[in-house]
Amino acid sequence: MCTASGVIANSIRQKLHTALQTKHLEVLNESYMHNVPKGAETHFKVVVVSEQFEGLALLKRHRLVNDILKEELQNGVHALSIVAKTPQQWDSSDKVVESSPNCRGGFGK
C-alpha cells in the first residue's frame, strides 16, 4: 500500500478530516495496482474513524463518505474502498488494514 500525497489524495484527506472530524484517517493510493499511468490518482482506499459514524449502519457510513467526496468521484477517482469505523470499533480492532486484491484487468478477466 502506498500512503497517498498527490493533489487528489490531499483533497480527499482534507475533506474527510474537516467534514467528519476524524480521529484516525488514512488515504491510500492503490492506483499502482491497476493498469493506469505511473503517478495516477484513480484508485483509493480510505480508513476513516469518526464519532459521526456512531449509530449509523455501514451502508450509511459509506454513503456519507461518498457524498463528501462526490466531486472527486465525478472527476477522475475510479474506485474508492472505504473502511469506516467508530473510535470504539477502531480502538478494539487490531488496527491492521487489509491489502486490496490485485487488479484482475477489468471486465471479469
Side-chain angles (χ1 to χ4, degrees):
M1 283 184 272
C2 177
T3 301
S5 62
V7 173
I8 296 171
N10 287 335
S11 176
I12 291 170
R13 185 176 293 104
Q14 183 270 325
K15 285 183 176 184
L16 290 175
H17 181 70
T18 299
L20 297 173
Q21 300 168 353
T22 57
K23 303 297 180 191
H24 178 84
L25 177 62
E26 294 178 50
V27 179
L28 307 168
N29 185 348
E30 297 185 329
S31 302
Y32 71 93
M33 299 169 63
H34 301 273
N35 187 20
V36 295
K38 186 174 182 172
E41 292 187 276
T42 55
H43 297 71
F44 288 93
K45 175 182 281 187
V46 294
V47 180
V48 188
V49 179
S50 173
E51 291 177 359
Q52 292 187 33
F53 293 145
E54 290 287 346
L56 293 182
L58 186 59
L59 182 59
K60 288 188 178 184
R61 295 175 189 189
H62 283 224
R63 285 181 177 158
L64 179 58
V65 170
N66 282 324
D67 189 50
I68 293 166
L69 300 178
K70 183 173 21 176
E71 182 180 342
E72 287 77 8
L73 291 167
Q74 292 174 344
N75 294 297
V77 173
H78 173 73
L80 180 65
S81 174
I82 302 168
V83 176
K85 296 183 181 259
T86 65
Q88 183 180 5
Q89 289 171 324
W90 181 251
D91 289 342
S92 64
S93 74
D94 59 8
K95 298 173 183 63
V96 174
V97 179
E98 292 186 28
S99 296
S100 295
N102 289 328
C103 179
R104 294 182 55 189
F107 305 106
K109 292 182 183 177

